[in-house]
Amino acid sequence: MNWIGLSTLIKREVGRFFSVYRQTVLPGLISSGLYIVIFGFTLEQRISEIQGIPYTLFILPGLIMMNTLTNASANTSSSMLQMKLLQQLPDLLTAPLSGLEISLAYIIGGTVRGFVNGILVLMLGIILTDLTVVDPFGTVVFIFIVSWAFASMGLILGQMTESWDQLAMMQNFFLTPLSFLGGIFYSIKMLPEWAQSLSFINPIYYMINGIRYTILGVSDSSVSVSFWMALILTVVFTSIAILLMQSGKKIKQ
Amino acid sequence: MQTPAIQIKGLTKSYGDVHALQGVDMIIREGEFFGLLGPNGAGKTTTINIVTGLVFRDKGSTKVFGKDTVKDFRFTRSKIGIAAQELSVDWFFPIEKLLYFQAGYYGLTQTEAKPKIDDLLDRLGLSGKRTSRLRQLSGGMKRRFQIAKALVHDPDIIILDEPTAGVDVELRHDLWQYLRDLHALGKTILLTTHYIEEAEFLCENVAIINNGKILKEGSPIELTRELGTAGISVQLGHGEYDFDSVLKDFSYTQNENKLHFSVKDPDSAMPKIIRQLSKADVHIQSIESKVSSLEDVFLNLTGKGINE
């Protein structure tokens, strides 16, 4: 292992998003704050409680999860695509770095961004509402696993796509709908039966419910199923991202 | 025999129907200044991109100090520093930071890299710009940064892909001098270029590549001797002259009042020609010599100029 090379690339990836925190950290906080204030506080007057939880608190885990996974995947996908388009990738591909090292560095960079964003929205929720987290350790673990899984997924997208247009299409037509349909703003028990069945094949549904359980103590699915689904997804996405990088098929000629 | 710095055997590469390389063989000895000379699209960049790991090879072998560039990529890549033709862009970090990253990829800690980076920034006239972003640099400075990046891990082999493309004459000569200094330190240098004078001025050996094939290899002097066409043209004053007898040892053609001599070495032939013509009382109006160059060699080999 080229440990110095690996840690250098991690520093670069983390430094990259921190250097533009106005684009990578603040927007998630602002939009989550707006969701809490507008959706939460206004709709709470009409939707009193879901599963015994006030509506504002009910949507908070979903907002944390949405912020975590969008930021984690955006970091790796945009950084990889940018490296390709701006001729920076040859610097990595001609260096004594393996596909595994490059992949891990990118995934860790994306995980840090997803994790930081997730934790910040959690803290914002604690400040804006009277939230008490039921299982803080479990919450942190869930945010970490989801960050890693979606950083890996972003790395796959970054390698596969050739333009910003393609990348935006994947995010807007795939990731955002899955997040919203995963039950951020509602319990799937509020849906008709056929729509409930569809939710069971949406991996983000399990992640939102997993973190909802660790934060609020309630969820639509069992916490162990959510945990294992998140873990399986993490392993699958990570393996594909690394194998694709090692093959070099999408980044070399 | 000493292990070559770079050894390429039977290298082929196709992009769809385009055969970019059609069996390239090349040996670059350690400490050699080697030029890969050819027009745009000849296969120069593909060749070096395969050696550095940016492009997959179809067939053949590429070795650096005897080790395969795919199987032993960590070893071979650590030995090479490459200044690519395409200038990269980075929006996020100052150039000094980018050099620290580059050194880190090659396993150097910040402490190990610092003296080298300070020296390179100083030597390449970039010290005053260390906190600038790449977009704030001029074209020439970007080119120098590209070279600094290639040298930051002190590689044994330096590969420069068209290093002076698009730079002004003054900077070109500065870079040439710098490359000569590096060569004097014992570095092996592989330069790709389509500037004839660059290859002639810098390289000990050149390979001429066209359509993915190496056409000829040797030192610029050997190649021009073998395939060059140096000559001396003499414009005669008006009059009737009989010079056949005095010029019987020379190969020449006559076109009205102009004589063209084919010679290998114009410098030594010119006084002899003048002496012989004077013996025949010939009035010489003007005389000019044309020194043979790699351009002639290229023309002879391919039937067209390098920039056509």
Side-chain angles (χ1 to χ4, degrees):
Chain A
M1 269 306 245
N2 175 355
W3 292 107
I4 296 174
L6 174 67
S7 67
T8 303
L9 191 50
I10 293 171
K11 276 184 212 157
R12 187 192 181 285
E13 280 306 290
V14 173
R16 195 188 69 87
F17 83 79
F18 270 124
S19 73
V20 284
Y21 65 94
R22 280 182 287 252
Q23 283 175 48
T24 55
V25 180
L26 294 185
L29 268 180
I30 293 168
S31 61
S32 298
L34 289 171
Y35 274 124
I36 292 169
V37 172
I38 295 168
F39 278 83
F41 295 155
T42 55
L43 288 179
E44 199 167 74
Q45 293 163 20
R46 292 182 181 270
I47 309 168
S48 53
E49 284 187 344
I50 298 175
Q51 295 171 355
I53 304 289
Y55 189 64
T56 315
L57 292 186
F58 185 82
I59 63 169
L60 192 58
L63 292 176
I64 293 169
M65 211 39 41
M66 189 171 72
N67 221 38
T68 302
L69 63 89
T70 359
N71 274 288
S73 65
N75 203 66
T76 40
S77 58
S78 63
S79 181
M80 176 49 67
L81 186 58
Q82 202 167 56
M83 291 286 262
K84 282 207 268 192
L85 298 178
L86 299 180
Q87 290 298 325
Q88 296 167 341
L89 201 53
D91 290 346
L92 296 183
L93 299 178
T94 57
L97 287 162
S98 66
L100 174 69
E101 287 150 3
I102 295 174
S103 306
L104 284 180
Y106 268 84
I107 293 170
I108 292 170
T111 303
V112 172
R113 178 164 155 193
F115 189 78
V116 166
N117 273 278
I119 295 293
L120 285 175
V121 175
L122 175 66
M123 287 162 68
L124 181 75
I126 292 170
I127 293 165
L128 293 181
T129 65
D130 55 352
L131 173 72
T132 312
V133 178
V134 172
D135 177 3
F137 178 72
T139 304
V140 169
V141 168
F142 248 103
I143 294 175
F144 179 81
I145 293 175
V146 171
S147 299
W148 187 287
F150 281 85
S152 304
M153 195 203 71
L155 186 56
I156 299 169
L157 292 182
Q159 291 182 80
M160 301 287 288
T161 50
E162 300 292 334
S163 67
W164 294 114
D165 191 43
Q166 279 180 10
L167 183 61
M169 194 187 79
M170 295 300 284
Q171 284 168 338
N172 294 332
F173 291 94
F174 175 66
L175 201 55
T176 310
L178 280 185
S179 308
F180 276 83
L181 296 172
I184 296 175
F185 296 109
Y186 55 85
S187 161
I188 65 154
K189 287 172 185 158
M190 297 159 81
L191 297 174
E193 207 161 312
W194 64 268
Q196 285 189 35
S197 309
L198 274 182
S199 297
F200 295 141
I201 56 167
N202 177 0
I204 296 173
Y205 157 77
Y206 296 97
M207 295 177 178
I208 291 172
N209 275 283
I211 200 166
R212 186 167 281 148
Y213 185 85
T214 59
I215 292 177
L216 304 174
V218 296
S219 72
D220 289 337
S221 68
S222 111
V223 69
S224 61
V225 170
S226 296
F227 177 77
W228 283 109
M229 282 299 286
L231 214 55
I232 290 167
L233 205 67
T234 306
V235 172
V236 170
F237 283 157
T238 308
S239 306
I240 296 173
I242 292 172
L243 288 173
L244 196 59
M245 185 73 78
Q246 281 176 328
S247 77
K249 279 185 181 156
K250 289 288 170 187
I251 48 174
K252 293 186 188 183
Q253 288 178 307
Chain B
M1 189 188 142
Q2 199 185 19
T3 310
I6 298 175
Q7 187 171 27
I8 299 170
K9 269 190 197 166
L11 190 61
T12 64
K13 175 72 188 177
S14 297
Y15 301 106
D17 295 336
V18 180
H19 303 295
L21 299 180
Q22 306 184 59
V24 167
D25 295 303
M26 216 160 67
I27 288 181
I28 300 166
R29 295 188 316 275
E30 187 173 359
E32 191 174 352
F33 204 133
F34 192 93
L36 192 54
L37 187 64
N40 290 326
K44 305 185 296 289
T45 302
T46 301
T47 305
I48 61 167
N49 281 351
I50 291 175
V51 172
T52 54
L54 272 181
V55 169
F56 294 114
R57 63 190 177 206
D58 290 345
K59 282 183 189 159
S61 74
T62 44
K63 289 182 178 174
V64 169
F65 291 116
K67 307 248 181 176
D68 184 74
T69 56
V70 177
K71 214 168 69 185
D72 296 305
F73 74 92
R74 278 197 209 277
F75 172 83
T76 62
R77 289 185 201 168
S78 68
K79 294 287 174 192
I80 296 174
I82 177 163
Q85 186 180 352
E86 295 276 344
L87 297 171
S88 60
V89 184
D90 186 284
W91 296 329
F92 300 98
F93 301 103
I95 61 163
E96 185 183 28
K97 189 82 184 158
L98 291 175
L99 290 177
Y100 276 107
F101 286 147
Q102 186 73 11
Y105 302 154
Y106 285 81
L108 268 70
T109 62
Q110 291 214 0
T111 322
E112 287 165 343
K114 189 177 186 317
K116 188 73 193 166
I117 289 172
D118 288 345
D119 179 52
L120 280 169
L121 288 171
D122 189 41
R123 179 66 184 79
L124 290 161
L126 294 168
S127 283
K129 297 282 177 185
R130 58 175 68 220
T131 56
S132 302
R133 302 288 196 274
L134 264 173
R135 64 175 183 274
Q136 296 167 307
L137 302 189
S138 67
M141 285 174 177
K142 282 179 189 156
R143 187 62 68 186
R144 279 181 270 160
F145 170 76
Q146 198 86 337
I147 291 173
K149 214 166 57 170
L151 300 176
V152 77
H153 61 290
D154 198 20
D156 293 330
I157 301 170
I158 302 159
I159 298 180
L160 304 132
D161 192 7
E162 304 274 1
T164 59
V167 305
D168 61 40
V169 178
E170 193 183 349
L171 175 60
R172 180 173 299 169
H173 286 101
D174 279 356
L175 288 176
W176 284 359
Q177 189 50 52
Y178 188 47
L179 296 180
R180 286 191 138 188
D181 293 347
L182 288 168
H183 182 231
L185 292 172
K187 303 286 183 195
T188 307
I189 301 181
L190 167 58
L191 173 91
T192 78
T193 185
H194 65 273
Y195 293 121
I196 295 280
E197 76 260 34
E198 189 159 273
E200 280 180 328
F201 183 70
L202 294 171
C203 300
E204 294 164 299
N205 278 308
V206 296
I208 293 175
I209 186 169
N210 196 32
N211 295 327
K213 288 179 189 158
I214 302 285
L215 303 179
K216 197 81 184 170
E217 200 179 319
S219 75
I221 293 171
E222 281 166 12
L223 290 176
T224 46
R225 253 192 216 138
E226 188 186 336
L227 294 160
T229 49
I232 294 173
S233 296
V234 181
Q235 181 69 47
L236 306 176
H238 291 293
E240 291 291 322
Y241 303 111
D242 179 14
F243 41 69
D244 289 352
S245 57
V246 293
L247 295 180
K248 61 179 184 297
D249 294 335
F250 293 92
S251 159
Y252 68 97
T253 55
Q254 184 173 3
N255 183 6
E256 295 181 349
N257 269 18
K258 193 163 191 172
L259 303 179
H260 183 79
F261 295 84
S262 293
V263 294
K264 288 285 177 198
D265 182 4
D267 288 348
S268 66
M270 191 184 282
K272 289 176 194 162
I273 290 169
I274 295 172
R275 209 160 38 237
Q276 293 304 98
L277 288 172
S278 301
K279 277 183 193 169
D281 287 331
V282 171
H283 174 224
I284 299 172
Q285 207 168 55
S286 66
I287 186 162
E288 62 183 48
S289 71
K290 180 177 173 289
V291 179
S292 180
S293 76
L294 281 175
E295 180 82 53
D296 302 311
V297 176
F298 196 85
L299 194 67
N300 272 339
L301 287 169
T302 65
K304 60 177 182 177
I306 195 165
N307 291 315
E308 281 175 31

